Amino acid sequence: MSEIMRPKFITFDCYGTLTNFQMATMTRELFAERIPEPARMERFIRDFSAYRFDEVLGPWKPYVEVVKGALERTCKRWGIDYIDADGQRYYDAVPTWGPHPDVIEGLSKIAGKIPLVIYSNACDDQIMSNVAKLEVPFHKVFTADTFKVYKPRLTAFEAMIDTLGCNPEDLLHVSSSFRYDLMSAHFMGIKDKAFVARSHEPYAPGYGATEIADIRGLPALVGL
């Protein structure tokens, strides 16, 4: 096994990494009649995901606008009528989502021993419902709403590090996404990184992240 990591803080992405992010499931339900072919549906889901990523790269705007903007652009690309109520349904559903099955078990072995921190691309009125479902205490919970900047912008990581009053090398950053989190963490000088293999994004070599199957593998990385 590699050398034990000894971070001052463990920082997490929330949606997808800890919380079971159900955008794809909802899309299959909402657009079942409009896109009945399974192969085409998966392409539509990929496009919707790509547009959500693109929407957060510019100036900050509320997350509901990110979701609606991405959905509208996807529908336009596919020649499908955009219905604003569909975008709102995604946004309203987010706080109801709970964690992946492995999360509470993994976090409970670390909570109280190393401070846990979240930085999520969410709004403040969403996140605490999801955090409560994780059933462990968090030292800090930051959102894009907190700092008015979304990941993967380096400004987001700078704001988190400055607010925690630490250095990049003091963190272990945990995410299931390289494009939203682990590439930026690498560029920021965060040496310790863990990639949670949730199957929605492949491992990207060259960024120094340790791959774990799920959060149950996290305690071993920090000697717990």
Side-chain angles (χ1 to χ4, degrees):
M1 181 177 171
S2 59
E3 183 179 350
I4 297 297
M5 301 175 185
R6 303 193 182 280
K8 292 183 180 178
F9 301 95
I10 303 179
T11 55
F12 294 87
D13 166 61
C14 186
Y15 299 128
T17 302
L18 301 178
T19 296
N20 185 6
F21 197 57
Q22 298 179 50
M23 286 282 187
T25 301
M26 280 195 67
T27 301
R28 293 185 188 99
E29 294 171 356
L30 287 175
F31 288 84
E33 294 184 2
R34 285 172 275 183
I35 309 175
E37 303 89 348
R40 295 185 73 243
M41 174 65 77
E42 296 311 304
R43 291 197 297 274
F44 183 87
I45 288 169
R46 287 196 296 270
D47 287 349
F48 184 28
S49 175
Y51 279 124
R52 291 198 307 275
F53 182 74
D54 191 64
E55 285 283 314
V56 302
L57 297 179
W60 180 86
K61 55 188 174 184
Y63 188 64
V64 67
E65 295 181 20
V66 169
V67 174
K68 290 182 176 182
L71 186 61
E72 185 172 15
R73 293 169 70 188
T74 308
C75 289
K76 180 180 179 180
R77 180 171 176 175
W78 278 72
I80 296 171
D81 288 339
Y82 167 70
I83 302 171
D84 192 69
D86 288 340
Q88 190 66 44
R89 286 178 67 180
Y90 284 106
Y91 182 81
D92 292 343
V94 171
T96 71
W97 296 339
H100 289 284
D102 52 275
V103 168
I104 294 173
E105 179 184 344
L107 291 182
S108 64
K109 295 179 179 179
I110 304 171
K113 301 177 179 70
I114 302 172
L116 307 179
V117 176
I118 282 174
Y119 193 123
S120 176
N121 277 2
C123 278
D124 290 341
D125 63 0
Q126 296 177 300
I127 191 70
M128 296 316 297
S129 176
N130 302 108
V131 172
K133 295 177 179 65
L134 303 177
E135 298 184 11
V136 299
F138 279 81
H139 174 68
K140 294 286 185 182
V141 177
F142 302 123
T143 71
D145 201 3
T146 308
F147 298 122
K148 299 298 184 282
V149 61
Y150 288 99
K151 299 176 300 179
R153 297 286 303 278
L154 297 186
T155 309
F157 287 85
E158 289 170 335
M160 177 174 68
I161 291 166
D162 289 347
T163 303
L164 291 174
C166 65
N167 297 311
E169 57 268 25
D170 295 326
L171 304 181
L172 163 57
H173 192 66
V174 183
S175 178
S176 60
S177 174
F178 276 88
R179 59 178 180 164
Y180 276 102
D181 284 88
L182 296 174
M183 291 180 181
S184 298
H186 172 77
F187 297 142
M188 283 298 303
I190 298 173
K191 180 175 71 70
D192 291 335
K193 298 172 289 294
F195 170 68
V196 187
R198 297 290 189 200
S199 299
H200 56 253
E201 196 171 309
Y203 181 85
Y207 294 95
T210 299
E211 183 172 352
I212 56 177
D214 56 42
I215 298 297
R216 287 174 294 211
L218 188 60
L221 297 186
V222 293
L224 296 173

